[in-house]
């Protein structure tokens, strides 16, 4: 038997050819099938990465997607989408893409119209859990293949009510919470145990952080709470040997202070300035704040050319208790890894740089800095385009996880006119999907 193995360069060339064949085959298949049976969305190639794990690794395919709540769809926000704004057209594309993903675990944000979505998930073999912020018309949903996982516990994190200060003596409740804006956003955690004799599984967290571009401090606070509460909850239910997956719409870019603190990058001077400029107190926290004539837009109602101005707020005072940069950093007890940042970074080392489109390619962002290899875009509409969605994960010391595959992001030419778009994507965000292979380095617990 020959021991010959392909070199990394040869493997990269073979993978590049495979991706091109796959894309061509998928498009031909869609054109040839009965129009009533063909997939309603644009199928993207799957990238397979070298797998250093042995056969004992646990493999899980994770999807995250902000599916754009129908209650937030307005013609003035999506002027180029035409019929793709209609609920029926959008749902056909969204349901098609969810089912076609064949993901083991699915994290969805901006979920409404559950009466239409849940039967699709049920018929595709998924169970689910759902949670929403107080009086929110949409929420977060975690679905999982019922023949592979069972839900053994869950927790909702209401960011507006979580205290972040430890020095509570003589400090008001508002100062202990140290928030700048009541947002009704939540984090949603589910403990998913594998349907297998051994007690293994994942802590899965999904979230949709505050949308307003200027509120960097509030998003950083929420991200820190999500990470802290995920780890604390995992340990409190005695599942310290489970890996955690944290995926969702974080509403920040890879050069944001919250991203840096999540992955362990040091804060830059510019990021510290962003945090300082957003240390304000909104009228939702302090009702005595004088409101401006022009009210702040609601979620999903960004202006065509957002001016990113903070309205209806005052400059924070020491008694408001807002966290300093160092105190914010302490909210992040450990560093996460990003599936797409690692996956695309790995692929770029094997292929020519032009074959992988990254956030770092369109921004002045050091290639060695974590986050540089996130997708170039994960949201693309007529008025705004950004990278906002991520699949993060973290292992306990006894586990080792590698990214062994991911779904390519949409090509710019397919979304340039703005999402949602018929036969392309039913949301204004791209779905992300990654395969994680986890090897336990210690014997199973009894």
């Amino acid at each position: 038997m020959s021991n010959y193995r392909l070199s990394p360069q040869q493997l990269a060339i073979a993978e590049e050819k495979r991706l091109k064949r796959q894309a061509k085959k998928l498009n031909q298949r869609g054109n040839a099938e009965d129009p009533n049976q063909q997939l309603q969305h644009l199928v993207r190639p799957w990238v397979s990465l070298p797998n250093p794990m042995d056969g004992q690794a646990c493999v899980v395919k994770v999807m995250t997607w902000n599916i754009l709540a129908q209650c937030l769809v307005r013609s003035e926000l999506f002027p180029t989408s035409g019929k793709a704004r209609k609920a029926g057209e959008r749902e056909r594309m969204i349901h098609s893409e969810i089912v076609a993903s064949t993901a083991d675990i699915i994290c969805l944000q901006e979920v409404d119209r559950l009466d239409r979505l849940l039967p699709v998930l049920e018929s595709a073999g998924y169970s689910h859990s759902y949670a929403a912020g107080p009086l929110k018309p949409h929420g977060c949903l975690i679905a999982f293949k019922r023949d592979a996982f069972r839900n053994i516990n869950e927790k909702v994190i209401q960011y507006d009510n979580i205290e972040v200060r430890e020095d509570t003596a003589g400090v008001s409740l508002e100062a202990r919470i140290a928030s700048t804006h009541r947002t009704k956003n939540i984090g949603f955690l589910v403990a998913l145990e594998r349907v297998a004799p051994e007690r293994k599984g994942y802590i899965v967290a999904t979230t949709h952080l505050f949308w307003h571009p200027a509120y960097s401090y509030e998003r950083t606070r929420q991200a820190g709470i999500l990470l802290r509460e995920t780890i604390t909850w995992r340990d409190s239910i005695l599942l310290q040997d489970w890996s955690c997956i944290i995926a969702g719409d974080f509403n920040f870019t890879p050069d944001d202070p919250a991203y840096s603190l999540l992955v362990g990058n040091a804060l830059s001077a510019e990021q510290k300035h962003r945090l300082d400029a957003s240390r304000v107190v909104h009228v939702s926290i302090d009702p005595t704040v004088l409101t401006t004539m022009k009210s702040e837009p609601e979620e999903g109602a960004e202006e065509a050319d957002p001016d990113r101005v903070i309205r209806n707020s005052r400059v924070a005072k020491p008694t408001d208790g807002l966290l300093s940069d160092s105190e914010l950093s302490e909210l992040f007890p450990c560093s996460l890894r990003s599936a797409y940042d690692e996956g695309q970074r790995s692929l770029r080392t094997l292929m020519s740089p032009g074959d992988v489109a990254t956030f770092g390619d369109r921004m002045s962002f050091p290639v060695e800095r974590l986050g540089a290899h996130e997708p170039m875009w994960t949201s693309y509409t007529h008025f705004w385009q950004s990278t906002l969605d991520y699949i993060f994960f973290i292992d306990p010391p006894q586990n080792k996880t590698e990214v062994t595959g991911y779904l390519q992001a949409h090509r710019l030419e397919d979304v340039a006119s703005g999402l949602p778009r018929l036969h392309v994507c039913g949301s204004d965000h791209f779905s992300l999907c990654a395969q994680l292979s986890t090897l336990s380095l210690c014997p199973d617990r009894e």
Side-chain angles (χ1 to χ4, degrees), residues 32-91:
E33 289 179 348
D34 185 322
N36 295 320
Q37 299 297 324
Q38 71 182 36
L39 295 173
Q40 299 294 313
H41 67 285
L42 180 65
V43 180
R44 293 171 275 154
W46 179 264
V47 177
S48 296
L49 296 170
N51 186 356
M53 302 292 192
D54 61 23
Q56 299 301 311
C58 291
V59 179
V60 66
K61 193 176 183 182
V62 182
M63 179 191 201
T64 187
W65 196 11
N66 178 330
I67 61 174
L68 178 58
Q70 187 64 30
C71 63
L72 301 178
V73 176
R74 303 172 192 173
S75 58
E76 63 269 23
L77 294 178
F78 307 101
T80 62
S81 293
K83 290 183 179 180
R85 294 190 296 263
K86 295 183 178 297
E89 298 288 354
R90 292 188 57 239
E91 285 171 344

Side-chain angles (χ1 to χ4, degrees), residues 62-198:
V62 182
M63 179 191 201
T64 187
W65 196 11
N66 178 330
I67 61 174
L68 178 58
Q70 187 64 30
C71 63
L72 301 178
V73 176
R74 303 172 192 173
S75 58
E76 63 269 23
L77 294 178
F78 307 101
T80 62
S81 293
K83 290 183 179 180
R85 294 190 296 263
K86 295 183 178 297
E89 298 288 354
R90 292 188 57 239
E91 285 171 344
R92 275 191 285 274
M93 290 187 283
I94 289 168
H95 298 168
S96 170
E97 188 158 349
I98 289 173
V99 173
S101 75
T102 66
D104 302 300
I105 298 170
I106 300 173
C107 298
L108 301 177
Q109 307 84 45
E110 286 195 19
V111 179
D112 63 357
R113 296 171 63 89
L114 286 167
D115 59 318
R116 305 301 298 271
L117 175 62
L118 295 187
V120 174
L121 292 175
E122 177 70 20
S123 64
Y126 291 96
S127 296
H128 78 282
S129 289
Y130 173 85
L135 302 179
K136 278 254 189 180
H138 54 83
C140 296
L141 183 147
I142 295 176
F144 49 95
K145 286 186 175 177
R146 57 176 170 265
D147 62 352
F149 292 99
R150 53 178 166 257
N151 178 351
I152 63 170
N153 211 332
E154 61 185 57
K155 175 183 176 70
V156 177
I157 303 167
Q158 295 193 21
Y159 298 124
D160 290 342
N161 302 331
I162 298 294
E163 298 181 17
V164 294
R165 283 203 164 276
E166 296 181 359
D167 49 338
T168 58
V171 179
S172 69
L173 175 60
E174 290 78 8
R176 296 199 300 271
I177 293 174
S179 173
T180 60
H181 196 304
R182 293 192 69 82
T183 72
K184 302 178 184 177
N185 293 81
I186 64 166
F188 186 36
L189 317 181
V190 176
L192 295 181
E193 184 177 59
R194 285 192 177 274
V195 179
E198 64 272 17

Side-chain angles (χ1 to χ4, degrees), residues 5 9 12 18 35 61 77 97 106 158 163-164 177 182 225-226 237 264 271 276 289 335 392 395 397 437:
R5 292 185 178 181
Q9 291 76 18
R18 187 191 69 81
K61 193 176 183 182
L77 294 178
E97 188 158 349
I106 300 173
Q158 295 193 21
E163 298 181 17
V164 294
I177 293 174
R182 293 192 69 82
I225 289 172
L226 178 63
I237 58 177
Q271 288 173 333
D276 194 47
V289 171
S335 298
F392 295 113
D395 287 327
S437 298

